[in-house]
Amino acid sequence: MAGEIASTSKIQLGVVPTHLKFVGGLVPNDEGKLPRGEDGVLGVVTEMDHLIKTSPVKIESVQIPVFPGVHQGDNEELITKLKDLGLVVHLILMVGGADPMNPDDEDKVVEMLVSGLNVAKKHGIEQVSSTSVEEWMKAGASPKEGADFDAAVAQDVKVHVRASKEGGVEGSCIKAWHIEFLRGGEFQTFTSAAKIWKFVKAANEAYGSTFFKVMIDAAHCGDSELSIPENESVIDEIAAAGALGIFHASAKTTRGCLSTDDGWIGALLTACAKTGGLEYAFVELFHHEDAALEGLRKLDPGHGLDTRDGRTYSEAVVDGLVDVARRLNNLVTRKILPGA
């Protein structure tokens, strides 16, 4: 079935396999081992093979989390097997149990980030991403504003520039580091494209290039305090500075079927395309019963809705791929995107 819908754009289309669940699908066990099926095959590899075989759209890439402390052999097997499927592998550098905005946690955060950067270098991976500007759903946290916000930006810049230098990024295979903001409640401070752009702009000034990029996740934009026109304006500014990063086609609030996003994916995908700076687009759905995301369901019950409408999650992801591929092709038809 793969390839029945030909891509006419140059945009690399891929999947973030979060629909497998973090617990039982992506997160390593206490021994650092990654989840496997009864056949002994890594679960992510099995799922991506299945999606490739069932999708009428060619899947070009996959974006996977890399956790500190994962068994080296499992990491190597995962990345190698995904490449064997013909996929370009992107990494999401995972950070937990420390606050990047807190100077007292600087060494811990840098160590975790360097660990992920080393995995990327070992396997020739060009694009890495992270949400490493703030601790996820930190209890008792409140938004930083004014001078406190400026201090948070400065500390985040220090952490990421230091990690890049200690991780030997300069002259390596790593070409860009995409930074993702999250919705309010998950984060308290970096909760919009405008706020994360202030960090990325400062980080690039300190680093001396446009190495750091802003990831535009339609779901987080939709759940932020900015309207669609306000997001479009920020996207234009980011792209003009050469810092537009990966686009995530993900539905706001539900994080399920892309039909639940109320127009954000279409509007912001087009906004990114118009700038001429868009290179990568990923379809990202989350499982509504993932144990790791219970806190997010308590934050907003809409995240716990089952939006499959009789499909499996794999089928819902394939539908998302078809939707985004059609949008990209029609952006070419409308001369908003150049043809392949």
Side-chain angles (χ1 to χ4, degrees):
M1 181 180 291
E4 287 183 6
I5 300 175
S7 174
T8 60
S9 81
K10 296 179 181 179
I11 308 304
Q12 187 185 106
L13 182 59
V15 169
V16 188
T18 42
H19 61 285
L20 287 177
K21 299 182 181 179
F22 280 96
V23 175
L26 299 172
V27 177
N29 64 19
D30 292 340
E31 298 177 348
K33 294 283 194 172
L34 295 172
R36 296 176 183 268
E38 293 181 0
D39 57 1
V41 179
L42 291 166
V44 172
V45 174
T46 296
E47 175 63 5
M48 290 310 302
D49 183 44
H50 172 68
L51 291 176
I52 288 169
K53 289 175 179 175
T54 57
S55 172
V57 177
K58 182 180 179 181
I59 303 172
E60 298 175 274
S61 54
V62 60
Q63 191 179 41
I64 56 171
V66 56
F67 295 90
V70 171
H71 187 275
Q72 186 173 346
D74 276 16
N75 256 344
E76 182 151 351
E77 180 182 349
L78 176 61
I79 294 170
T80 300
K81 293 294 185 183
L82 290 172
K83 287 183 175 181
D84 288 344
L85 292 175
L87 296 167
V88 176
V89 177
H90 295 229
L91 293 186
I92 305 170
L93 313 182
M94 303 299 288
V95 173
D99 184 358
M101 300 185 295
N102 184 351
D104 293 339
D105 286 349
E106 181 178 325
D107 289 344
K108 295 178 184 178
V109 177
V110 169
E111 182 180 3
M112 287 184 277
L113 291 174
V114 169
S115 172
L117 292 171
N118 285 336
V119 173
K121 289 192 302 176
K122 179 178 180 180
H123 295 283
I125 290 170
E126 297 182 353
Q127 309 293 328
V128 301
S129 302
S130 67
T131 60
S132 51
V133 290
E134 188 171 342
E135 189 171 1
W136 185 68
M137 297 193 77
K138 184 177 180 181
S142 58
K144 296 184 183 298
E145 300 174 345
D148 290 337
F149 178 83
D150 294 340
V153 168
Q155 181 60 28
D156 275 330
V157 169
K158 185 179 179 183
V159 163
H160 288 78
V161 171
R162 179 183 160 190
S164 298
K165 294 186 182 301
E166 293 184 13
V169 165
E170 191 72 29
S172 76
C173 58
I174 304 173
K175 293 183 177 180
W177 188 340
H178 306 256
I179 306 294
E180 181 178 12
F181 70 93
L182 300 181
R183 61 175 292 173
E186 291 188 79
F187 278 179
Q188 306 301 324
T189 296
F190 294 98
T191 55
S192 73
K195 291 175 180 177
I196 202 67
W197 170 224
K198 290 181 179 180
F199 159 70
V200 169
K201 184 177 181 180
N204 283 336
E205 289 173 354
Y207 194 73
S209 75
T210 55
F211 174 62
F212 294 99
K213 311 288 185 182
V214 176
M215 180 188 295
I216 300 297
D217 183 302
H220 298 314
C221 289
D223 284 321
S224 78
E225 60 267 33
L226 300 183
S227 66
I228 286 178
E230 288 170 332
N231 273 287
E232 291 169 334
S233 178
V234 175
I235 288 168
D236 286 344
E237 183 179 344
I238 292 168
L244 182 64
I246 288 168
F247 180 83
H248 273 182
S250 195
K252 74 183 187 72
T253 308
T254 69
R255 308 309 302 277
C257 177
L258 301 195
S259 64
T260 67
D261 83 313
D262 299 329
W264 285 83
I265 291 171
L268 299 190
L269 179 62
T270 299
C272 290
K274 284 180 177 178
T275 69
L278 181 64
E279 297 182 79
Y280 311 101
F282 286 88
V283 171
E284 182 185 41
L285 276 67
F286 288 81
H287 197 293
H288 68 288
E289 294 178 328
D290 189 343
L293 303 178
E294 176 63 25
L296 188 51
R297 291 192 291 276
K298 290 180 179 177
L299 174 69
D300 189 333
H303 188 79
L305 296 177
D306 184 353
T307 64
R308 289 174 295 174
D309 197 26
R311 297 163 295 176
T312 65
Y313 267 102
S314 298
E315 290 168 339
V317 169
V318 169
D319 283 349
L321 286 163
V322 170
D323 177 87
V324 175
R326 296 288 194 198
R327 291 181 185 277
L328 291 172
N329 284 353
N330 280 314
L331 287 169
V332 173
T333 299
R334 296 157 60 197
K335 302 190 184 305
I336 293 171
L337 274 177

